[in-house]
Amino acid sequence: MHAIVIEDKQLRWTEAPDPQPGPGEVVIDVTAAAVNRADLLQRQGHYPPPPGAPAYPGLECSGVVSALGPGVDDHHVGERVCALLAGGGYAERVAVPAGQLLPVPVGLSLVEAAALPEVACTVWSTVVAHDRLRAGETFLVHGGGSGIGTFAVQLGRALGATVLVTARSAKHERLRALGADHTIDYREQDFVQVVHEVTDGRGADVVLDIIGAKYLARNVEALATGGRISVIGFQGGARAELDLGALMAKRGTIWSASLRARPVADKARIVAGVRDQVWPLVAAGLVKPIIHATFPLAEAAEAQRVMESSDHLGKLVLLR
Ligand SMILES: NC(=O)c1ccc[n+]([C@@H]2O[C@H](COP(=O)([O-])OP(=O)(O)OC[C@H]3O[C@@H](n4cnc5c(N)ncnc54)[C@H](OP(=O)(O)O)[C@@H]3O)[C@@H](O)[C@H]2O)c1
């Protein structure tokens, strides 16, 4: 097969050995794979794959099952699937634990399905399974125009929350069309002030944060009493000082987690939750994959350049 390898912090399309399915794994013939910001970090040498994961980048894909490993009896060769990966999506074939397979949601093509597993599993496991976002609550999504953000906005709306997003203003109109109730240009406006204005001083019940250190103290300021902050990215740094008194006064919670590093059994539980709770929303058209552009898999480097520019809204998808 062919795969994208990382050499001297560059991506190169080259011949690679075919993966063999281990116990409990299947091999997928990849139709499409999506790009994630973590792939850029991996290329730069900052985010190595966890032990046992394929060396190639790529945290999600769609395609057709082409081989079953020992002990896999609930899938079949020829099945159309999408999958959450620990790596290896930027390749013509990838081996993945069977518990990380999802069916292609009703009404979606294989290409569209490739844009969902990583964002759906990350956002659902954070905002629903952990933060327990409820109807009527206020949900602040930082980086609303990201792959993660475009999914979170739609899920928040589908759950009945009031959704506030930070994003550069060029993305605001599309984010409102996706379900954002209020859009905040983080370059021009103080998001803490806007959150308090639109909630009559209550603050946000749940904050989904991808910025980290730079926003930590302000996220606490923006929080409602009993609010939950989940930090899933460190685009603004990983080290910050925090006034615990401010957090205590709000009886607030701060949580941080990475999906990729979790044990296979945890990922299988998350994937099952997404299949049961998110896929029906996708089938109903309440949550859609938002694809900014597609690129040939061999041109993954160009897709990563677009992601680095942040001019995209939603996902960038690689086609085999
Ligand atoms: N923990 C996990 O398991 C996990 C899983 C998946 C993703 N993530 C993290 O989630 C983040 C998004 O990933 P992605 O692949 O969806 O990335 P992406 O599509 O490349 O989006 C990055 C976004 O960051 C926004 N941004 C930059 N500076 C900002 C600021 N100061 N305030 C608000 N937004 C800002 C950009 O928005 P503008 O264009 O509006 O500036 C852009 O939309 C990354 O940090 C990634 O590492 C974590």
Side-chain angles (χ1 to χ4, degrees):
M1 71 161 184
H2 283 79
I4 292 279
V5 297
I6 299 171
E7 280 176 5
D8 298 328
K9 301 187 178 178
Q10 303 295 322
L11 301 182
R12 198 163 70 80
W13 180 240
T14 185
E15 278 191 32
D18 272 313
Q20 301 302 320
E25 291 184 342
V26 309
V27 170
I28 300 174
D29 265 19
V30 173
T31 300
V35 179
N36 286 276
R37 196 151 275 257
D39 307 343
L40 277 57
L41 296 176
Q42 182 170 340
R43 173 170 56 75
Q44 291 154 359
H46 303 309
Y47 196 49
Y56 322 117
L59 300 176
E60 56 193 338
C61 75
S62 64
V64 178
V65 173
S66 61
L68 305 177
V72 178
D73 47 21
D74 48 354
H75 292 281
H76 60 270
V77 170
E79 188 179 345
R80 287 154 45 93
V81 294
C82 53
L84 177 70
L85 308 173
Y90 291 23
E92 291 180 320
R93 284 184 201 95
V94 63
V96 54
Q100 288 167 221
L101 298 183
L102 283 154
V104 175
V106 175
L108 294 196
S109 66
L110 273 173
V111 171
E112 291 169 313
L116 282 177
E118 172 72 13
V119 290
C121 291
T122 301
V123 176
W124 179 86
S125 63
T126 306
V127 168
V128 178
H130 189 271
D131 293 334
R132 307 275 168 200
L133 178 66
R134 291 182 291 271
E137 289 194 318
T138 299
F139 179 31
L140 172 63
V141 179
H142 286 302
S146 63
I148 288 283
T150 48
F151 182 89
V153 166
Q154 297 178 82
L155 185 65
R157 163 57 72 97
L159 294 172
T162 299
V163 181
L164 281 59
V165 297
T166 58
R168 64 175 87 165
S169 54
K171 300 180 180 179
H172 285 191
E173 198 179 323
R174 290 204 53 206
L175 290 170
R176 282 195 293 270
L178 284 180
D181 296 281
H182 300 278
T183 45
I184 304 165
D185 185 345
Y186 65 87
R187 298 194 293 195
E188 305 286 334
Q189 294 170 283
D190 174 1
F191 73 81
V192 178
Q193 194 183 333
V194 178
V195 168
H196 284 296
E197 272 165 21
V198 304
T199 60
D200 294 326
R202 264 195 81 247
D205 299 288
V206 173
V207 179
L208 181 64
D209 180 55
I210 61 171
I211 302 301
K214 194 170 146 197
Y215 279 3
L216 184 63
R218 291 165 71 212
N219 280 337
V220 174
E221 278 184 64
L223 203 62
T225 300
R228 292 83 79 196
I229 297 169
S230 281
V231 182
I232 61 161
F234 301 134
Q235 288 175 210
R239 285 170 185 272
E241 208 167 274
L242 179 65
D243 175 358
L244 286 169
L247 186 66
M248 186 187 275
K250 292 192 169 171
R251 299 190 293 284
T253 307
I254 300 174
W255 187 68
S256 186
S258 148
L259 182 61
R260 191 189 197 185
R262 291 204 191 192
V264 168
D266 272 22
K267 288 184 187 169
R269 274 193 290 276
I270 290 168
V271 163
V274 164
R275 189 185 55 226
D276 293 348
Q277 295 187 21
V278 178
W279 263 211
L281 301 175
V282 178
L286 295 171
V287 176
K288 300 185 182 82
I290 306 300
I291 298 180
H292 179 82
T294 60
F295 301 80
L297 184 45
E299 292 168 25
E302 179 53 25
Q304 289 203 352
R305 267 192 288 279
V306 172
M307 180 165 275
E308 255 157 6
S309 75
S310 270
D311 287 339
H312 63 295
L313 184 132
K315 300 286 290 186
L316 303 168
V317 173
L318 306 172
L319 307 180
R320 180 169 164 197

